[in-house]
Amino acid sequence: DRDALARAMRAARSAGPDRRQAMADKGRALLLQHLRWQDVAARTIEAVAAWRAASARRPPRIGWITTWNARCGLATYAKHLIDAGAEAVAVLAPEQAERLRDDDAFVQRCWRTGKWDNGLGRLALAVDETRLDTLVLQFNHGLYNFEELASFVHGQVDAGRSVVVILHATADPEGQPGEPANWQLRTLAPALVRCQRLLVHTLDDLN
C-alpha cells in the first residue's frame, strides 16, 4: 500500500529519537520472526509443492466420434492421428456391416451415419458410461442429421465436456435430397460456436 508506506515514513521522520528507536526495534523483531532466509525458503518450497499438486491433474479422457475400420478417408485420418498420440482414447464409431478387421477393444459402435436418424441418444449414453470429458468429432455433411447433431453438441457442452470438431468440408453441397437446412452449416452454427475448437484444413475453410 503506497499511501500507508508514505504515512509510516513521514511518521518516522517526524518522531523523536526514542520513538524512532522503538519503531526500528519492532521492525527488526518482525523481520527475525517471519522473514529470515529459512522462512523465505520454506514458503518457496511450500508454494512449489502446491503448484505441483495443482498441475498433477489426470489426463483427459478422450473420445473420437468418427468412422473407423472402414474404407473411408475419415477413418484413415482418425487412425493416423490416434496412433501418433500418447493418450489412450475411446473410439465411438457408427454401425457398419463391412469392416477391414475385427474392432479393437477401445471401439464402441453406438450410432448411425446418414441424414435422417443417427441415433445420437445412444452415442450420448456411451459418452456418459465411458466417463469421457473431451470429444473429438469428425464432420462431413453426409454423416449427420444436422438438427440431431446440433442437439447432441449442445448437450455435451452443457454437461461440461470439451468438444473439438474437425470440419473436413465447409462448403455446403448443392442439389442434395431433403431439406436444404439439413445440408447447410449455418444450421449448426449456434452449436459450433460453443465448441472448444473448430479445426479446418485450409485458409479458405477458415475464411
Side-chain angles (χ1 to χ4, degrees), residues 171-203:
D172 295 336
E174 298 180 357
Q176 299 297 326
E179 291 292 331
N182 201 19
W183 294 91
Q184 295 169 344
L185 275 182
R186 65 185 180 187
T187 304
L188 294 173
L192 293 177
V193 297
R194 302 187 66 200
C195 294
Q196 189 79 11
R197 291 287 188 276
L198 300 178
L199 305 180
V200 296
H201 287 283
T202 70
L203 287 176

Side-chain angles (χ1 to χ4, degrees), residues 14-202:
S14 61
D18 293 342
R19 173 62 176 157
R20 282 201 295 270
Q21 185 61 52
M23 294 172 70
D25 292 343
K26 183 178 179 181
R28 177 178 173 76
L30 182 64
L31 287 171
L32 292 176
Q33 184 178 1
H34 297 293
L35 297 174
R36 294 172 300 173
W37 279 116
Q38 65 240 45
D39 298 321
V40 174
R43 284 197 292 273
T44 302
I45 292 171
E46 183 180 347
V48 170
W51 175 80
R52 284 179 174 171
S55 300
R57 301 171 182 169
R58 68 172 178 81
R61 297 179 62 88
I62 302 171
W64 275 71
I65 300 169
T66 178
T67 56
W68 188 259
N69 193 12
R71 297 186 186 282
C72 167
L74 270 64
T76 303
Y77 180 90
K79 187 175 188 307
H80 285 323
L81 291 181
I82 290 170
D83 288 348
E87 304 291 347
V89 304
V91 172
L92 306 174
E95 299 164 351
Q96 64 189 49
E98 296 183 6
R99 303 174 192 177
L100 301 180
R101 59 191 178 280
D102 291 340
D103 280 335
D104 296 298
F106 56 81
V107 179
Q108 291 188 57
R109 301 271 175 190
C110 52
W111 58 285
R112 296 180 294 274
T113 60
K115 297 304 291 180
W116 315 121
D117 179 9
N118 301 133
L120 297 188
R122 286 179 55 208
L123 174 60
L125 183 60
V127 171
D128 289 340
E129 291 176 344
T130 316
R131 299 174 62 190
L132 302 174
D133 50 41
T134 302
L135 300 177
V136 181
L137 186 148
Q138 295 220 83
F139 171 85
N140 219 333
H141 286 77
L143 287 179
Y144 307 99
N145 175 280
F146 281 12
E147 183 177 345
E148 191 175 355
L149 178 61
S151 178
F152 172 80
V153 171
H154 282 303
Q156 298 308 308
V157 175
D158 289 343
R161 296 186 177 94
S162 296
V163 180
V164 177
V165 176
I166 304 175
L167 294 162
H168 290 280
T170 57
D172 295 336
E174 298 180 357
Q176 299 297 326
E179 291 292 331
N182 201 19
W183 294 91
Q184 295 169 344
L185 275 182
R186 65 185 180 187
T187 304
L188 294 173
L192 293 177
V193 297
R194 302 187 66 200
C195 294
Q196 189 79 11
R197 291 287 188 276
L198 300 178
L199 305 180
V200 296
H201 287 283
T202 70

